[in-house]
Amino acid sequence: MKRVASMAPFEACYDSSTIHRSGVPSIHLELQEGVTWTIHETNLMVKTKHNVVCLGFVDGGTRPTKSLAKASIVIGGHQLEDNLLVFDFDSSKLSFSPSLLLQNTSCSHF
């Protein structure tokens, strides 16, 4: 993958014509109790302009902005797209499906 100039707000950007079909690795997040959430290419890369895609994460910085909370990196809407989420408030658990795109469907089909 050929790196190209950053495009705000993204830092890691690439020439999409140099990325082969399976060229973007998945990211595996290790959560509590041995649970793994895998984020695949569709939810990792954002097309910013013709032939440019960027890793779809934004650095929250090291200092809080307009709040007293510490800055952090938050999983955003792009990573959550086409995943089903279940919030179980009674047991304080969040459950999620694998990407629906891997099952040839999407949230827009529901």
Side-chain angles (χ1 to χ4, degrees):
M1 297 187 327
K2 180 183 174 189
R3 187 97 184 243
V4 296
S6 298
M7 297 197 63
F10 307 110
E11 294 179 20
C13 297
Y14 303 89
D15 178 341
S16 61
S17 69
T18 66
I19 300 174
H20 302 289
R21 180 157 172 82
S22 60
V24 177
S26 297
I27 291 179
H28 305 282
L29 300 176
E30 300 293 327
L31 307 174
Q32 291 179 336
E33 299 178 20
V35 174
T36 300
W37 179 26
T38 301
I39 304 174
H40 299 279
E41 175 183 358
T42 305
N43 296 93
L44 289 177
M45 305 305 284
V46 176
K47 183 176 181 175
T48 55
K49 69 177 191 177
H50 182 69
N51 283 346
V52 176
V53 293
C54 300
L55 185 61
F57 289 89
V58 177
D59 186 346
T62 58
R63 297 185 181 183
T65 57
K66 298 183 182 180
S67 77
L68 299 176
K70 290 184 179 179
S72 62
I73 301 299
V74 178
I75 294 174
H78 188 69
Q79 286 75 41
L80 296 175
E81 245 176 55
D82 292 310
N83 286 272
L84 297 178
L85 303 176
V86 176
F87 297 93
D88 183 344
F89 292 107
D90 291 336
S91 63
S92 297
K93 283 191 175 184
L94 167 65
S95 301
F96 50 89
S97 72
S99 174
L100 296 176
L101 298 176
L102 297 175
Q103 300 169 31
N104 293 321
T105 191
S106 71
C107 289
S108 61
H109 289 114
F110 286 91

